[in-house]
Amino acid sequence: MIDQEETYVRSLLARAADDLPGGGVSMERALADGERTVRRRRQLTAVGAVATVLALLGSAALLAGVRPSVGPSPADDPSPSATAPAGPPTVAPEAFDPTLRLFRLGSVTAEAVSQSYRTDVKVLAVDASVPEAISPGGPVEPGPIMGVGRSVTVRLGARGVDLFANQRQRSELDGPPPPVALPGAPVAPVDGHSAFLYTDGSETLLSWQYAPDGWMSIRMSKVDHPEELGRQIAAGLVWETQRVSVPFAPVAIPAGATLKGTELRMYNGKWLDVHVHYRTGGPGPRQDLSIGVSNGTFAGDGSSFEESRTMVAGRVGSVMSDDAGIGVFRVAQVPGCSGCVTEVSTESPAGASAVGGRDGGLEMAASMRMTEGWNDPASWRPL
């Protein structure tokens, strides 16, 4: 796989890995196969949208860290939506509001410099990770592709969501399933709810029903005493409702597009990229269209732009797409933020059609502008 193709596949994996349908088009099978390759060769954790919290920690002691969890605190949010519920919903909702975050990690170890959160209509997510070099002897640095060592993933699903579908698919791709099927063997309750523990190689999954027909899970990889760590993470979650904000100005979204979710990644206290996901009428649960901006995931104008001959409105662009216009369209040198890169990703025929194919995707990416306080998440505009 050439570098551009690999970057494209990983970009899609990072957004769709936990939301892949059971069947579908060949691209979905390519994503599944790509994930298996990534997990075996480079230990890269691909986590996706909806409601997940990923904290990459090494042992229970790491919970007593000094780094606050990702995102602004309620005190930084002037909107009246910042509230403090006592815990998870007592009734599993039919769908989540993707403009709201419901929980975060209280604190993580200083080693967990890579953090993120995701919202979605079906699953909510926050990540914290201890990164590794992608290849032996290589640098440990932020980028569109980052290696991950020890990890924990906490997910909250809406009513009827199968939080174990992608884990089950990975087990099938990697070989014979473990002797205990998902959700795993019964263990002591979590927060008063029946809990289960599942182990598959270096990964452990602690899960429980927070409400009838509503599941929550914590996935841990390469950690010591995973059940103990999972219980401490569950007990330390901070439940609060916060409004999602973004560092770019409003964009003209195609008619009929509906908001599906958001994603923010940070590294060492600074934001890397922010994406907003939409449905535009395509089949299945995945998004059809994503728009976003990165700051620091590319060197200079962006590693994929160094040899690009694509120009958009006098700025350098980058295109990775098929003939139908499904792909990723990026434009560098954003006015007011020379190191930022805007991105439009069409992930289905419906998404490609909605933006007008290749040319429309590039034009949309070129039209995006940063907010005045783009470098400070506390100054971003509410979505």
Side-chain angles (χ1 to χ4, degrees):
M1 182 181 298
I2 64 174
D3 290 342
Q4 283 194 335
E5 290 173 333
E6 183 177 20
T7 300
Y8 177 38
V9 169
R10 290 177 186 271
S11 174
L12 294 180
L13 281 172
R15 297 174 196 163
D18 282 332
D19 199 21
L20 290 175
V25 298
S26 59
M27 177 174 288
E28 293 166 343
R29 171 55 58 186
L31 290 175
D33 294 341
E35 182 182 14
R36 175 180 57 179
T37 300
V38 171
R39 290 177 68 247
R40 285 179 172 175
R41 294 183 181 179
R42 296 193 178 177
Q43 304 299 321
L44 178 69
T45 298
V47 288
V50 261
T52 306
V53 179
L54 172 63
L56 302 179
L57 308 171
S59 66
L62 291 177
L63 285 176
V66 296
R67 182 181 297 278
S69 62
V70 65
S73 68
D76 297 325
D77 185 357
S79 73
S81 63
T83 59
T90 56
V91 176
E94 185 68 27
F96 295 113
D97 181 346
T99 69
L100 299 177
R101 296 174 57 197
L102 299 187
F103 62 101
R104 62 181 175 87
L105 296 171
S107 64
V108 296
T109 176
E111 293 178 277
V113 296
S114 178
Q115 300 185 39
S116 70
Y117 72 73
R118 288 167 301 282
T119 69
D120 190 89
V121 293
K122 292 299 182 181
V123 187
L124 302 177
V126 177
D127 303 339
S129 66
V130 179
E132 285 184 348
I134 294 177
S135 57
V140 178
E141 58 186 1
I145 306 171
M146 284 193 292
V148 170
R150 298 163 296 172
S151 68
V152 177
T153 305
V154 184
R155 309 182 67 210
L156 178 71
R159 185 184 311 164
V161 171
D162 183 0
L163 290 185
F164 314 106
N166 199 54
Q167 187 84 20
R168 191 178 299 112
Q169 183 184 50
R170 281 198 295 265
S171 295
E172 293 171 355
L173 289 170
D174 285 348
V180 179
L182 286 161
V187 292
V190 173
D191 195 26
H193 302 286
S194 298
F196 303 86
L197 195 69
Y198 170 87
T199 300
D200 181 5
S202 62
E203 290 191 355
T204 300
L205 193 71
L206 177 66
S207 58
W208 65 98
Q209 284 187 289
Y210 67 90
D213 206 22
W215 284 87
M216 191 164 188
S217 70
I218 301 178
R219 184 174 64 204
M220 295 153 282
S221 178
K222 299 182 179 179
V223 301
D224 299 326
H225 312 294
E227 182 178 356
E228 178 184 354
L229 176 61
R231 292 180 181 278
Q232 292 193 39
I233 292 173
L237 292 174
V238 177
W239 292 90
E240 60 189 17
T241 301
Q242 289 184 269
R243 185 74 177 272
V244 172
S245 58
V246 296
F248 53 87
V251 180
I253 301 301
T258 58
L259 180 64
K260 185 181 187 295
T262 69
E263 181 177 1
L264 162 69
R265 292 196 306 157
M266 301 187 74
Y267 190 92
N268 203 23
K270 297 181 179 180
W271 69 276
L272 288 182
D273 51 28
V274 180
H275 289 88
V276 183
H277 310 302
Y278 296 90
R279 294 295 309 281
T280 61
R286 289 178 49 225
Q287 61 266 11
D288 302 301
L289 169 67
S290 297
I291 64 172
V293 63
S294 63
N295 172 38
T297 56
F298 299 98
D301 285 339
S303 57
S304 63
F305 296 94
E306 291 178 355
E307 298 180 1
S308 175
R309 296 182 180 180
T310 301
M311 299 298 295
V312 185
R315 296 155 55 196
V316 64
S318 173
V319 175
M320 291 177 285
S321 72
D322 60 18
D323 293 339
I326 300 174
V328 179
F329 311 94
R330 299 187 179 104
V331 178
Q333 302 164 333
V334 183
C337 179
S338 60
C340 293
V341 176
T342 56
E343 177 182 300
V344 171
S345 175
T346 53
E347 302 179 27
S348 72
S353 176
V355 303
R358 176 188 184 279
D359 292 342
L362 278 172
E363 290 175 3
M364 178 179 285
S367 73
M368 296 178 65
R369 296 293 184 270
M370 308 300 292
T371 60
E372 185 175 350
W374 61 265
N375 58 337
D376 180 9
S379 301
W380 293 358
R381 70 172 180 92
L383 189 63

